[in-house]
Amino acid sequence: MTDRNADLFERAKTLIPGGVNSPVRAFRAVGGTPRFVQSAQGAHFWDANGQRYIDYIGSWGPMILGHGHPAVLEAVQKAAVDGFSFGAPTEREVELAEAIVELVPSLEMVRLVSSGTEAGMSAIRLARGATGRKKIIKFEGCYHGHADALLVKAGSGLATFGNPTSAGVPPEVVQHTLVLAYNNVAQLEAAFAEHGSDIACLMIEPIAGNMNFVRASVPFMKRCRELCTQHGALLAFDEVMTGFRVALGGAQSVYAKLIPGFEPDMTVMGKVIGGGMPLAAFGGKRAVMEQLAPLGPVYQAGTLSGNPVATACGLATLAQIRQPGFFDALAARTRSLVSGLKAAADAEGLPFCGDSEGGMFGFFLLPELPQHYQAVMKTEGAKFNNLFHGLLDRGVYIAPALYEAGFVSAAHSEQDIAETVAAAREVFRQLVR
Ligand code: KE4
């Protein structure tokens, strides 16, 4: 029997670099042949061979309701009939801005764009324009999209100005990007002591899903807030992954419960906000946001920004997740997955630790939860790759890279969780041999 995934991958590779339109999809970290998705429904998708998988990627976060939710499908179909794109303002953009500002109290205004990268890039430009400052702080292991200024890795000794992680990014472009270790208060304080008056913003993933799942500690997050306030820098939360995913109010609502009065100055959003369609956003206080064109001097624009079909998809998705009890149920289902995996790993004597918040989870084949990037990378890559393929062979699709988070949707049933845990137990048993 031919393997249509392999055939499609060979065809794709002659026309599309690496055969994919986003690198992580190529399975290069884990090896093997990517699964070409033919269709999806609920918590499952079917590949080009008709094989079913339980989907724990969900398009890397957007599909929080599961694939093909009827209310969302109906909203998108109706919007499409009314028009795909106008390049002119629409009522739904106002409705979506109202919903976002209502659900994320730190925001007074938002600007809709088409991708998380575009939102993050624009937020950085706005922070620099609004403060008149050049430097930005990011953390090793956090990913904020592929804008040049953010494609930096820590210098040789951390807390140096970044070195480009990508060819094509001139060192001059990243010379003002300071890369610090996540959860390292001493480095943070030293950076502000030295550069505080020239720092435009500190951008952080509050729960770092691009390190699989690493929480910013409360003391660390408190100091980020205090030092930004003290030095007049903007605290920018990159909630592209955590926004409307870990809680209705995003990760900032989680930290507001732990740190009285906490809120960021700016927020970058994406993924869930578009429900699977190309839609992202960035927002903040009015005084900062009104620096944006056409009002202010900071230019930012987009042909498909606030696209009428995408805003319909986002609004229909938000309408579902704001239903009473939605996040309680989702968080409980996600916790049951992580605790089931932990029990299975313990039963087989495999080092394993996991964590979750709302519908986002992560786990490590390590004895304890890592607090920063260097610790995350202590995971044995080969062991993770064997786990990935063992699960894939059993119809369970997790992220094809150890540094990526996982996502549970409202469509994942107790049976899906039970099947996943049973499959994992078999694979764990093989891993410890
Ligand atoms: P996009 O440009 O891919 O829409 O968003 C960039 C981005 C920004 N900020 C955070 C915290 C993100 O996680 C992302 C994108 N996430 C990756 C998965 N880690 C998307 C998957 C991919 O690159 O194909």
Side-chain angles (χ1 to χ4, degrees):
M1 167 148 116
T2 59
D3 177 350
R4 292 204 69 243
N5 292 310
D7 294 346
L8 286 166
F9 196 34
E10 287 315 305
R11 271 172 61 194
K13 285 192 284 191
T14 64
L15 299 161
I16 306 167
V20 293
N21 287 306
S22 199
V24 71
R25 304 176 188 174
F27 277 21
R28 294 179 73 88
V30 293
T33 302
R35 296 318 190 250
F36 280 64
V37 180
Q38 210 70 28
S39 68
Q41 183 58 45
H44 309 125
F45 74 78
W46 287 261
D47 73 8
N49 295 330
Q51 175 68 45
R52 190 201 83 156
Y53 298 87
I54 303 172
D55 180 9
Y56 287 104
I57 294 186
S59 179
W60 299 97
M63 308 317 295
I64 194 167
L65 299 177
H67 298 284
H69 187 286
V72 178
L73 201 53
E74 184 186 355
V76 168
Q77 287 167 332
K78 187 181 177 309
V81 168
D82 291 341
F84 285 10
S85 183
F86 313 116
T90 62
E91 183 176 2
R92 267 197 298 273
E93 289 163 87
V94 182
E95 291 172 340
L96 185 53
E98 285 168 343
I100 294 166
V101 166
E102 183 191 348
L103 293 172
V104 187
S106 69
L107 302 179
E108 292 178 342
M109 301 189 92
V110 292
R111 170 64 57 86
L112 303 180
V113 295
S114 299
S115 75
T117 291
E118 192 180 354
M121 172 183 75
S122 307
I124 294 290
R125 183 182 312 132
L126 176 58
R128 285 171 159 162
T131 61
R133 299 176 176 186
K134 291 179 186 169
K135 289 183 174 37
I136 57 177
I137 288 177
K138 77 172 289 288
F139 297 94
E140 188 181 34
C142 290
Y143 175 66
H144 305 296
H146 61 88
D148 281 359
L150 292 163
L151 283 182
V152 289
K153 60 180 179 237
S156 48
L158 264 166
T160 57
F161 283 98
N163 300 321
T165 51
S166 167
V169 177
E172 300 85 349
V173 169
V174 296
Q175 63 184 322
H176 299 299
T177 306
L178 189 53
V179 184
L180 305 180
Y182 199 79
N183 277 325
N184 188 317
V185 171
Q187 274 191 22
L188 185 70
E189 291 178 335
F192 271 96
E194 186 173 356
H195 304 288
S197 60
D198 194 20
I199 294 173
C201 78
L202 178 155
M203 184 171 280
I204 187 167
E205 285 188 67
I207 299 175
N210 287 286
M211 285 194 265
N212 193 308
F213 194 105
V214 180
R215 294 176 189 267
S217 72
V218 171
F220 175 67
M221 186 58 85
K222 213 156 164 284
R223 285 307 279 147
C224 286
R225 178 63 278 171
E226 289 165 353
L227 289 165
C228 282
T229 303
Q230 182 186 337
H231 292 273
L234 297 172
L235 176 58
F237 259 30
D238 180 344
E239 296 227 44
V240 167
M241 194 184 288
T242 55
F244 308 108
R245 167 55 74 172
V246 300
L248 185 56
Q252 56 194 270
S253 67
V254 174
Y255 281 95
K257 292 191 180 97
L258 300 168
I259 306 170
F262 178 89
E263 66 173 18
D265 300 307
M266 299 175 80
T267 302
V268 179
M269 294 160 280
K271 297 181 191 277
V272 170
I273 197 174
M277 299 288 282
L279 192 152
F282 63 104
K285 301 302 184 192
R286 185 174 302 279
V288 171
M289 293 301 288
E290 289 186 340
Q291 299 297 309
L292 277 173
L295 290 181
V298 180
Y299 193 70
Q300 183 276 330
T303 302
L304 299 178
S305 294
N307 174 272
V309 182
T311 50
C313 192
L315 276 166
T317 300
L318 294 186
Q320 294 298 322
I321 68 172
R322 62 191 299 173
Q323 299 288 329
F326 177 89
F327 273 96
D328 292 341
L330 180 65
R333 187 61 42 86
T334 309
R335 280 194 300 271
S336 74
L337 170 67
V338 175
S339 57
L341 293 173
K342 174 64 177 166
D346 288 353
E348 300 300 332
L350 183 76
F352 179 100
C353 57
D355 194 359
S356 70
E357 188 73 37
M360 180 171 154
F361 71 94
F363 63 81
F364 302 88
L365 301 180
L366 294 171
E368 57 187 44
L369 284 171
Q371 296 302 307
H372 51 75
Y373 178 73
Q374 299 300 332
V376 168
M377 299 319 279
K378 286 198 166 63
T379 306
E380 289 174 57
K383 191 177 276 189
F384 173 82
N385 296 351
N386 291 335
L387 171 62
F388 171 81
H389 281 288
L391 291 174
L392 194 68
D393 292 345
R394 291 167 176 80
V396 176
Y397 191 77
I398 65 170
L402 69 86
Y403 47 78
E404 295 284 2
F407 305 95
V408 172
S409 79
H412 283 76
S413 66
E414 287 181 9
Q415 184 179 338
D416 291 315
I417 303 302
E419 283 179 29
T420 303
V421 170
R425 175 99 191 242
E426 288 179 16
V427 182
F428 291 159
R429 189 170 301 137
Q430 289 172 352
L431 291 182
V432 293
R433 273 197 201 123

